Amino acid sequence: SYTYAMSARNWGAGWVPWTNDRRHEGRAFGTWRALRGVQLSTSVEVASPLPYTPIGAWVVVPAPQAFDQLRPIYGSEMSGRGTALLRIDAALLKHFTGPGHSRWDAGIGISNLSWGDQSARTQSLDVSDLHEPELIARTAFRFGAIPSIMLRGEIGAFR
């Protein structure tokens, strides 16, 4: 399947892309009977980058307390784009029969094996080295790959 979508908003200053503006998204699903009783299923998703508002620089604002404050200077709203997304889910199943006409499936799988941005980006300033602070852009959240083991049974006379 393929989806072309736009998400924009206008709060009085003109139309800009919005957080969920993922223009292109394609998905493919498939199942292959590799050997007798063995099945491989997979899905692949490819999607274009999401927009975010980049930070151009940070300025030091003197504070009356002992510590100065760092304030960001933002670029044009939602003018940045993250990286494209590639995500793969896959499962390998073995079908077999058991006693009493029971049927069983045993398998392994992996979900959310991905590269690229799963969510919109946020930016922060790494000040671990005060002489050379570094601007870091990363996704707001990231889910890692999820391995799974499956055992399913149907017990009884199924014909």
Side-chain angles (χ1 to χ4, degrees):
S1 66
Y2 171 78
T3 302
Y4 175 80
M6 292 177 62
S7 174
R9 65 118 181 105
N10 183 350
W11 286 344
W15 289 97
V16 296
W18 197 229
T19 304
N20 297 317
D21 186 38
R22 194 180 287 273
R23 298 287 170 96
H24 305 278
E25 188 166 10
R27 290 184 179 154
F29 306 91
T31 299
W32 177 52
R33 300 215 183 269
L35 302 169
R36 183 181 166 138
V38 177
Q39 175 180 318
L40 174 65
S41 299
T42 188
S43 69
V44 177
E45 176 183 1
V46 178
S48 59
L50 290 167
Y52 70 97
T53 301
I55 295 174
W58 291 81
V59 295
V60 177
V61 178
Q65 296 85 7
F67 299 101
D68 292 337
Q69 296 178 354
L70 291 172
R71 296 241 173 110
I73 298 176
Y74 291 99
S76 298
E77 186 174 14
M78 295 298 191
S79 63
R81 290 275 174 174
T83 58
L85 171 68
L86 170 63
R87 191 184 86 198
I88 300 170
D89 301 323
L92 183 65
L93 291 174
K94 170 68 175 147
H95 307 290
F96 55 95
T97 58
H101 301 285
S102 61
R103 294 186 291 196
W104 297 87
D105 294 325
I108 58 172
I110 187 134
S111 298
N112 204 41
L113 183 61
S114 62
W115 297 268
D117 291 354
Q118 296 177 353
S119 65
R121 289 183 168 243
T122 62
Q123 291 183 304
S124 61
L125 188 64
D126 179 6
V127 291
S128 56
D129 180 358
L130 293 176
H131 299 291
E132 292 186 35
E134 181 181 2
L135 186 62
I136 298 172
R138 62 177 145 245
T139 56
F141 62 85
R142 178 162 180 79
F143 295 114
I146 303 166
S148 58
I149 299 173
M150 195 258 315
L151 178 63
R152 180 182 66 164
E154 296 176 0
I155 301 172
F158 299 102
R159 289 192 178 203

